[in-house]
Amino acid sequence: MAFWWPLLVLGIAFVICRFLLLLIPPNVPSIEVDASDVLEDGSQTKENSYIYIPSKGKQVQKDKVQCYEPATMKYLGFYPALTSDEVTMHVAQARKAQKIWANSSFRQRRKFLRILLKYIIEHQALICEVSSRDTGKTMVDASLGEIMTTCEKITWLLAEGERWLKPEFRSSGRSMLHKRSKVEFHPLGVIGAIISWNYPFHNIFNPMLAAVFSGNGVVIKVSEHSSWSGCFYFRIIQAALLAVGAPDNLVHVITGFAETGQALVSSVDKIIFVGSPGVGRMIMQRASETLIPVTLELGGKDAFIVCEDVDVPHVVQIAVRGALQSSGQNCAGAERFYVHRDIYPTFVAQIVKLVKSITAGPPLSGKYDMGAICMQEHADKLQNLVNDALEKGAEIVGRGSFGNLGEEVVDQFFPPTVIVNANHTMKLMQEETFGPIIPIMKFDTDEEVIKLANDSDYGLGCAVFSGNQKRAIAIASQIHCGVAAVNDFASTYMCQSLPFGGVKHSGFGRFAGVEGLRACCLVKSVVEDRWWPYVKTKIPKPIQYPISDNAFEFQETLVEALYGLNLWDRLRALVGVLKMISEQNSSSQTDRRRE
C-alpha cells in the first residue's frame, strides 16, 4: 500500500492538472474575411440581383460559370471557366509553395486548423447562409452537413493527425532481427480535388484539411453548380494561411467545366473526385496517362433496413431525415427503404403523416423544412423515375407541399414523395436519385433483405435498425458496402476517425480517417541497422561469391532454422548452419595458409 499510494496521488494530480488546462482558453488569432458581397442584406443592385433564366439543355456559354440561387433564381454573378494553360499555372504555383510548406512544423499546421475552427464556430450563420443561397438547402441542413462534419474533422486532426503521420515502427521479422523497420509518410506534392455541389463548404474543406495538414499543396475545382459559395469559402482558407505565415498559393480554388477538370487531373500528383460513375471513369482514364493515384467517391443507393422489432416513431424520424438530407441533395443518403412485412402498414402510415407536414420553399425565409434542388432540370429526372415506378405497379401514398413559389422557380422544387409497392424492376430502386423520394419495399426474412440490399451496382453505405443489436450487426456485416450504421443513419461520417468510401460503382479509395490522411502521402518503407555500427549485415561465407558447392544446402538449412514449424527442428537446423559456416571459415583459412 505504501508503494501504490504516491502513484495514486500523482495520477490524481495529473488528471486535475489536465482538467485545469482545458479551462484555459487557447490563444487563437482571429481572421477577418470580407463577406460584404455575399450577404443577402437587401442592398443588391438590379444588375446583380435580377432573375436568371438558364437555357434548357447544356450550357452554351463555356467561358463563364453563371451562378444563381436555385430557390429564387436570383442571379449571383459569374466566374471564369479556366483553360488548360491557366490550370497548369495554378498547379505550378501550388507546387512551388508546397516545397516550402513541406518543411513546416505540426505546431504551425495545428495553428492553421485552430484559426479555421474559431472562424467557423463564430460565423456559422454566414457559412450556412452562403451554402443555402448557392445550393438551395435549408440552414439546418447546412449546419448538420457542412458545419458539424467540418468541425469534427478539424478536431480529429488536432487530436490525432500528427500521431498518424509520424514514422510508424514495424516488426523486422526473423531474418532481419538486427534491423529496425519503419514506415514514413511524406507529402505527395500537389493534391487535386474535383468536388460535387451538394456540400460546397465541407467538400472544399474535407480534402484541403487532409492535404495541407500532411504537408501538401492543393488545387480544388469546385462544381459549376456551386462556384459562388466555393470562391467565398476560399477567402476563409486564404486568410487562415496568411495568419500562420504559410507560403502564398499553397491552396487554390478554380472554376470551370470539363476542360478545367481534365487539365487538373493531368497536372497534379493525386486526384480526389466526388461525382458520378460516368465522370469517374473519365477521371481514371485521364489519370492513367500520368499514373497518379486516384480516390473516387461516386455516390450510392444506400439501403435503409427496418426490422419488425424497432421503435417505429423513432426510426421514422431518422428515415425522413436520411431521405431528405440536404433538401433532397443527399450524399450517402438513404435511397432504398426495406421494411419488415409485420410493421409495414404502421411504418408507412407514420412516414406519410410526417412527410405531409413538410413544406418546401425558399430556405432562407426560415419557414420551410426542405429547399430547392440545385441542378437545372433535375426535377424532370425525378419525375421520370416516379413515372417509371408508377407504370410498374408502385403507388404514391403521400407528398409534401410547396410554399409560395414564383413561377420562374417551380422547376427547382420537387415535393417529398412516399412510394409503396416498390420493387427492383423499377429504375427508382436502381439508379441514384438525389431527390426527396422515399420508395418502400417489404421483406420477410433477414436473408431476403440482405439479398435485396446487395442487388445494386452501388455499394457506398447502409443503415440497419433492429431492437436486437446483434441481429442488426449481423445483417450489416453481410451487406457489400463501404460504410454501415447500426441503429442509426450517417453516423459513420460523423466519426472522422473512420475511412469513408464505397465499392462497386460507388468508387474506391478512402478519405477521412487514418486511411484518408495517409492517402495524401508517399508511403515509404525504411530499414536501418538497429545497433549500428556494431552489428551489420554480413553475407555468410557459403553464399559469398564465388558460391561454394554447398551454397544451396546452406540456404535450405537456413530457411528451416528461421521458419521451421517447431522449435526442435529449428534448433537442429541452426546447429547445421553454424557447422557449415565454421567449416567454410576453416577451409578459407587453410586455403590462405597454402597461398
Side-chain angles (χ1 to χ4, degrees):
M1 183 66 181
F3 174 75
W4 290 106
W5 179 249
L7 293 178
L8 180 62
V9 172
L10 287 173
I12 294 173
F14 175 78
V15 172
I16 292 173
C17 289
R18 288 293 300 269
F19 177 74
L20 292 175
L21 285 172
L22 290 174
L23 298 179
I24 302 174
N27 183 21
V28 180
S30 297
I31 56 174
E32 296 293 331
V33 179
D34 182 16
S36 59
D37 59 335
V38 297
L39 289 172
E40 177 69 284
D41 57 4
S43 64
Q44 281 78 9
T45 63
K46 182 178 180 180
E47 285 72 22
N48 68 2
S49 63
Y50 65 82
I51 297 299
Y52 177 71
I53 307 298
S55 58
K56 293 288 184 180
K58 293 185 178 179
Q59 193 161 351
V60 177
Q61 193 175 26
K62 288 296 183 180
D63 60 332
K64 295 180 181 178
V65 178
Q66 305 284 5
C67 305
Y68 59 93
E69 292 183 5
T72 64
M73 300 307 290
K74 185 177 292 185
Y75 187 62
L76 296 172
F78 68 89
Y79 289 91
L82 300 188
T83 65
S84 297
D85 290 341
E86 289 171 324
V87 173
T88 302
M89 179 191 69
H90 279 278
V91 174
Q93 292 174 345
R95 197 176 301 284
K96 183 178 179 180
Q98 186 273 330
K99 294 184 185 302
I100 302 171
W101 183 250
N103 297 315
S104 62
S105 65
F106 282 111
R107 181 178 181 182
Q108 186 180 14
R109 298 176 195 181
R110 280 193 295 270
K111 184 178 180 182
F112 169 65
L113 297 187
R114 290 192 180 99
I115 290 172
L116 287 176
L117 183 60
K118 180 179 181 180
Y119 183 88
I120 293 169
I121 292 172
E122 293 176 350
H123 297 84
Q124 296 181 58
L126 169 63
I127 293 168
C128 291
E129 181 178 332
V130 170
S131 180
S132 175
R133 291 188 67 191
D134 205 17
T135 64
K137 66 179 62 184
T138 65
M139 293 287 283
V140 171
D141 283 326
S143 177
L144 288 169
E146 308 269 35
I147 300 295
M148 288 187 68
T149 50
T150 304
C151 289
E152 189 66 38
K153 187 175 188 72
I154 292 175
T155 53
W156 179 78
L157 283 170
L158 286 169
E160 299 187 37
E162 180 179 358
R163 167 191 170 191
W164 295 113
L165 292 177
K166 282 186 173 181
E168 182 178 285
F169 288 90
R170 305 282 179 88
S171 62
S172 295
R174 293 178 181 177
S175 62
M176 292 285 124
L177 282 174
H178 60 297
K179 297 288 187 178
R180 182 169 56 188
S181 304
K182 62 181 177 180
V183 181
E184 295 178 347
F185 303 94
H186 301 275
L188 277 173
V190 177
I191 307 293
I194 301 175
I195 61 173
S196 60
W197 38 264
N198 51 346
Y199 293 99
F201 180 74
H202 180 70
N203 283 350
I204 287 178
F205 275 69
N206 185 34
M208 182 278 298
L209 290 167
V212 171
F213 192 81
S214 54
N216 295 282
V218 59
V219 181
I220 303 170
K221 182 202 170 293
V222 291
S223 168
E224 58 269 29
H225 300 294
S226 59
S227 296
W228 180 77
S229 57
C231 290
F232 169 69
Y233 298 144
F234 178 45
R235 298 181 200 170
I236 302 172
I237 299 168
Q238 285 180 306
L241 288 170
L242 180 65
V244 298
D248 292 338
N249 297 312
L250 183 66
V251 177
H252 293 249
V253 168
I254 60 176
T255 53
F257 300 101
E259 179 189 6
T260 307
Q262 290 170 358
L264 182 62
V265 176
S266 298
S267 53
V268 294
D269 301 301
K270 174 188 171 72
I271 193 71
I272 298 170
F273 173 71
V274 181
S276 69
V279 179
R281 292 186 184 94
M282 291 189 284
I283 296 288
M284 284 187 66
Q285 184 175 7
R286 180 58 67 100
S288 70
E289 298 173 4
T290 51
L291 293 178
I292 60 169
V294 178
T295 294
L296 300 179
E297 198 278 276
L298 306 178
K301 194 71 181 173
D302 291 5
F304 192 102
I305 298 170
V306 185
C307 298
E308 74 282 3
D309 53 357
V310 300
D311 177 356
V312 174
H314 170 71
V315 177
V316 163
Q317 278 286 340
I318 297 174
V320 173
R321 168 59 62 186
L324 309 187
Q325 187 179 17
S326 295
S327 306
Q329 304 163 55
N330 40 334
C331 179
E335 293 208 349
R336 296 181 295 158
F337 292 78
Y338 301 101
V339 179
H340 195 278
R341 184 178 299 275
D342 290 352
I343 61 166
Y344 189 84
T346 303
F347 185 88
V348 170
Q350 293 193 23
I351 210 166
V352 166
K353 181 179 179 181
L354 183 57
V355 166
K356 284 184 175 180
S357 70
I358 295 173
T359 305
L364 285 180
S365 66
K367 301 176 182 178
Y368 304 101
D369 294 301
M370 201 192 84
I373 294 171
C374 186
M375 294 187 296
Q376 297 174 23
E377 304 175 32
H378 189 61
D380 293 340
K381 177 187 174 182
L382 296 179
Q383 189 59 53
N384 289 336
L385 292 175
V386 171
N387 291 343
D388 175 77
L390 296 177
E391 291 171 4
K392 294 174 180 176
E395 179 186 354
I396 296 175
V397 291
R399 304 194 92 164
S401 59
F402 288 132
N404 295 323
L405 300 177
E407 184 177 337
E408 63 281 344
V409 301
V410 170
D411 289 343
Q412 297 298 113
F413 291 84
F414 193 88
T417 303
V418 182
I419 291 179
V420 295
N421 301 327
N423 63 64
H424 280 208
T425 67
M426 302 169 184
K427 294 179 181 179
L428 187 59
M429 296 295 281
Q430 297 293 339
E431 297 181 10
E432 189 172 29
T433 307
F434 267 103
I437 303 174
I438 306 176
I440 309 175
M441 185 173 175
K442 301 174 186 176
F443 74 91
D444 290 302
T445 66
D446 294 357
E447 291 74 19
E448 178 190 6
V449 78
I450 291 167
K451 184 177 180 180
L452 289 169
N454 286 327
D455 179 27
S456 174
D457 289 335
Y458 293 97
L460 185 56
C462 70
V464 183
F465 293 82
S466 172
N468 182 334
Q469 179 151 307
K470 288 184 177 180
R471 178 187 180 188
I473 293 171
I475 294 173
S477 68
Q478 296 177 72
I479 296 175
H480 191 43
C481 61
V483 295
V486 174
N487 286 321
D488 208 338
F489 171 77
S491 53
T492 46
Y493 202 71
M494 284 306 297
C495 299
Q496 282 290 314
S497 64
L498 296 176
F500 181 84
V503 295
K504 299 190 282 189
H505 287 190
S506 291
F508 57 85
R510 297 293 183 265
F511 50 80
V514 179
E515 293 79 3
L517 183 61
R518 289 179 171 178
C520 294
C521 300
L522 164 63
V523 181
K524 181 183 292 186
S525 298
V526 179
V527 176
E528 58 194 25
D529 289 320
R530 190 186 299 275
W531 297 293
W532 187 89
Y534 305 106
V535 178
K536 301 178 182 179
T537 299
K538 186 175 182 180
I539 300 175
K541 282 285 185 182
I543 58 173
Q544 288 183 8
Y545 291 117
I547 292 175
S548 63
D549 293 339
N550 66 340
F552 185 71
E553 180 187 356
F554 171 83
Q555 274 300 118
E556 280 186 307
T557 311
L558 178 61
V559 169
E560 187 173 358
L562 289 170
Y563 310 112
L565 294 180
N566 66 73
L567 180 60
W568 296 115
D569 288 344
R570 284 160 55 192
L571 287 174
R572 185 174 60 253
L574 179 60
V575 170
V577 167
L578 296 174
K579 183 179 179 181
M580 280 187 275
I581 292 175
S582 177
E583 289 174 352
Q584 190 73 32
N585 288 337
S586 298
S587 176
S588 298
Q589 291 173 4
T590 302
D591 291 342
R592 282 197 295 268
R593 283 197 295 268
R594 288 175 179 174
E595 293 175 357

